[in-house]
Amino acid sequence: MKPSLPANFLWGNSVSSMQTEGAWNEGGKGMSVYDIREPKEFASDWKVATDSYHRYEEDFDLMKDLGMNCYRFQIAWSRVCPTGDGEFNEEGIAFYERFITGLIERGIEPMICLYHFDMPLALAEKYNGFTDRRVMEAFIRYGKKMIDCFGDRVTWWLTFNEQNLYHMPETFLISGYMRGEKTLRELYEIQHHVMMAHAHLTNYLHETKPGKLMGGMLAHAQVYPATCKPRDVFCAQQLDEFFNQNLLRAFAGEGYSPEVLHFVKQAGFSDIYREEDLAVLATMKNDYMAFSYYASRTLDSDPIPEGTPVNNYMLFGDKPNPHLKATEWNWQIDPLGFRSIITRYYNDWRLPVFPIENGIGVIEQWDGENPVADDYRIAYHRDHINAMKEAIFEDGAQVIGYLGWGLIDILSSQGDMRKRYGVVYVNRENHDLKDLKRVPKKSYAWLKRAIHSNGEEM
């Protein structure tokens, strides 16, 4: 049995507003890009989600019962600033004030994330999202307002969920991009504008709210070379540098990776990286390193066409790992990869590490009476928490806490309610809202024991 975790260890849950809140046209909220997405066979609309706008007190009570002492949530930009760059909505701000109060009253530390893909529709339509510096400036204005409003009560802050996704082709789905040819130049414009918004808000938090902590967050999938063939190894290293290390270097106060900067120059994109931007970046350092982790991936260099930008390698080279089991969604389960990432973060950057998303998505049905028997979820979280403990007690990593993803069922990132992550079942389907009842699963009792014993009873 491995020892229990430190007394101040943070256990909790992570969610995004568009996957939980609902109330898409209530409380003065403006439209976001998600509000116009049409439902599909395996995707709901986003209008109700899990109705946490009206039911958050019930959800907070479940978290308190579990023993959670941290909750990472996202402020919906369009709820507090309906057009993204116009007047602020006091009713929306008051909602989050009540929300934060409800957490603190239950002994749960709030962690605020400022952006989780749901750009105000007006900004997306007018400026094509983060391709335009005016959207970066609007985000900085919004972020400063939220820090002014809540910075005295909230210690833990993030700007962007999974910031390295803006270095991948996925950026065109999550950055408010509405039109264009999805060029490589636009990808680099988006990722740089996102990073500069992060840098400005990190510095603003440190200047105005001493003692409050800003983290940088990646979606970190350990990517293995498919073989020991040198090109497989080299391409996997390149991918890691462009997707992960480039941002980690910046978060740690070192600026962008020399390799990435050289590529930008060779590609003719240097004008994107203004001198005044790089000067700001040089003054910024985060307080902790955060990441999400669900699975690892494997890269085969053979199918990658000559001349493919590193950012697009996985479009061609993604390959199943024959040594790992996978979920229904073909996400390969790899607790050792989780340990490896934690240990490397701390070895390389000497900043506290905070895994703030981890979980397994599975198609589940509730029979209306008995708890869902999700032993696979117990096994997944047990194995990953034990891997984290090995990183702490055997490798010497400093870890702040462990937040599961969506531990009360929510819409998946694709809007598919079939893909459930929670230890609490929410009784709705993609196209049938039913009663939205919260029903603890078998894993709920297990997680409650694990948290109340601070990771000793696993």
Side-chain angles (χ1 to χ4, degrees):
M1 179 183 293
K2 295 180 177 65
S4 62
L5 292 154
N8 62 348
F9 195 79
L10 295 178
W11 294 92
N13 191 14
S14 286
V15 298
S16 78
S17 65
M18 86 275 189
Q19 292 168 277
T20 56
E21 275 185 12
W24 69 286
N25 61 352
E26 297 182 45
K29 181 183 176 297
M31 297 278 280
S32 88
V33 292
Y34 278 79
D35 295 328
I36 62 170
R37 290 193 179 181
E38 296 291 333
K40 301 176 182 177
E41 181 182 3
F42 296 123
S44 170
D45 63 30
W46 300 84
K47 292 180 168 54
V48 175
T50 57
D51 196 31
S52 72
Y53 185 83
H54 300 106
R55 299 168 185 254
Y56 67 85
E57 299 260 13
E58 178 184 356
D59 293 341
F60 291 177
D61 287 342
L62 287 165
M63 293 179 216
K64 181 180 179 182
D65 181 63
L66 277 165
M68 290 181 178
N69 57 5
C70 185
Y71 185 52
R72 173 203 158 203
F73 66 96
Q74 177 222 345
I75 291 175
W77 187 356
S78 60
R79 188 173 296 286
V80 297
C81 187
T83 63
D85 59 355
E87 294 293 321
F88 285 97
N89 173 30
E90 293 304 323
E91 189 174 353
I93 292 171
F95 166 75
Y96 289 112
E97 185 67 47
R98 295 191 301 273
F99 195 93
I100 290 166
T101 297
L103 289 169
I104 293 172
E105 287 176 347
R106 292 168 175 83
I108 301 171
E109 289 246 22
M111 172 188 278
I112 289 179
C113 177
L114 293 171
Y115 187 78
H116 198 125
F117 313 155
D118 58 340
M119 178 163 293
L121 181 62
L123 289 182
E125 290 180 335
K126 188 174 182 180
Y127 298 120
N128 208 26
F130 277 110
T131 59
D132 196 304
R133 287 184 72 94
R134 286 170 290 190
V135 172
M136 176 192 83
E137 291 161 359
F139 182 82
I140 294 169
R141 172 179 175 267
Y142 145 68
K144 287 180 175 180
K145 177 70 171 180
M146 296 303 99
I147 290 170
D148 292 344
C149 289
F150 306 124
D152 291 336
R153 306 182 72 199
V154 176
T155 297
W156 303 94
W157 291 80
L158 292 167
T159 52
F160 294 91
N161 176 69
E162 300 179 324
Q163 193 169 327
N164 58 340
L165 294 184
Y166 300 93
H167 296 226
M168 307 177 194
E170 286 91 334
T171 189
F172 298 109
L173 298 173
I174 62 175
S175 61
Y177 188 91
M178 301 284 283
R179 57 194 174 273
E181 298 181 7
K182 301 179 181 178
T183 65
L184 189 65
R185 179 183 174 86
E186 289 174 315
L187 185 151
Y188 275 85
E189 286 174 336
I190 292 167
Q191 66 88 5
H192 179 62
H193 295 159
V194 165
M195 173 52 86
M196 291 316 304
H198 172 79
H200 279 282
L201 289 173
T202 298
N203 288 347
Y204 185 77
L205 180 73
H206 289 159
E207 291 162 5
T208 62
K209 306 294 179 182
K212 306 306 183 182
L213 305 173
M214 181 70 81
M217 181 193 177
L218 304 188
H220 205 134
Q222 184 82 298
V223 177
Y224 302 115
T227 70
C228 57
K229 182 170 61 180
R231 189 165 186 265
D232 283 354
V233 175
F234 180 72
C235 287
Q237 289 175 339
Q238 280 187 302
L239 193 76
D240 183 49
E241 189 64 37
F242 275 68
F243 282 2
N244 303 319
Q245 303 309 315
N246 178 46
L247 280 171
L248 293 171
R249 295 182 200 286
F251 293 155
E254 296 184 359
Y256 288 133
S257 160
E259 183 178 354
V260 174
L261 286 174
H262 183 72
F263 171 80
V264 167
K265 182 178 180 180
Q266 294 293 100
F269 302 156
S270 292
D271 59 299
I272 298 171
Y273 293 69
R274 299 182 183 182
E275 287 187 17
E276 61 267 29
D277 289 349
L278 298 181
V280 170
L281 196 60
T283 68
M284 185 269 295
K285 185 174 181 179
N286 289 158
D287 301 295
Y288 61 97
M289 296 294 199
F291 68 98
S292 65
Y293 180 85
Y294 297 92
S296 61
R297 302 171 76 181
T298 302
L299 180 65
D300 180 359
S301 65
D302 286 344
I304 301 174
E306 194 69 31
T308 299
V310 176
N311 307 78
N312 295 335
Y313 277 3
M314 294 305 280
L315 296 177
F316 304 97
D318 200 3
K319 182 178 182 178
N321 188 328
H323 305 290
L324 296 173
K325 294 180 180 179
T327 70
E328 294 158 290
W329 310 96
N330 203 32
W331 289 22
Q332 297 199 278
I333 300 169
D334 182 12
L336 187 58
F338 188 48
R339 172 182 175 178
S340 177
I341 291 168
I342 294 170
T343 300
R344 185 177 177 194
Y345 273 32
Y346 195 64
N347 280 345
D348 286 354
W349 310 112
R350 315 293 173 89
L351 290 171
V353 183
F354 202 167
I356 58 173
E357 288 184 29
N358 180 237
I360 182 170
V362 180
I363 295 175
E364 295 171 327
Q365 294 290 331
W366 178 47
D367 65 8
E369 183 177 349
N370 301 298
V372 173
D374 56 342
D375 294 275
Y376 42 82
R377 182 166 290 107
I378 294 171
Y380 182 95
H381 284 287
R382 181 194 63 228
D383 292 348
H384 283 77
I385 293 170
N386 277 333
M388 174 186 68
K389 292 173 74 173
E390 288 164 355
I392 296 168
F393 296 115
E394 297 181 26
D395 305 338
Q398 182 182 342
V399 178
I400 295 167
Y402 173 87
L403 307 187
W405 173 251
L407 291 175
I408 297 172
D409 283 346
I410 61 178
L411 287 175
S412 78
S413 59
Q414 304 303 313
D416 192 350
M417 198 66 202
R418 297 177 307 153
K419 190 178 186 183
R420 296 176 179 269
Y421 285 89
V423 299
V424 175
Y425 188 92
V426 174
N427 191 34
R428 66 153 291 183
E429 296 175 357
N430 278 327
H431 309 298
D432 182 356
L433 292 176
K434 298 186 175 181
D435 60 5
L436 292 163
K437 183 177 180 180
R438 275 63 167 155
V439 184
K441 305 175 189 177
K442 182 179 180 180
S443 57
Y444 182 96
W446 172 85
L447 184 60
K448 183 175 179 178
R449 288 194 303 274
I451 293 177
H452 279 270
S453 68
N454 212 21
E456 188 171 342
E457 294 182 26
M458 297 291 294

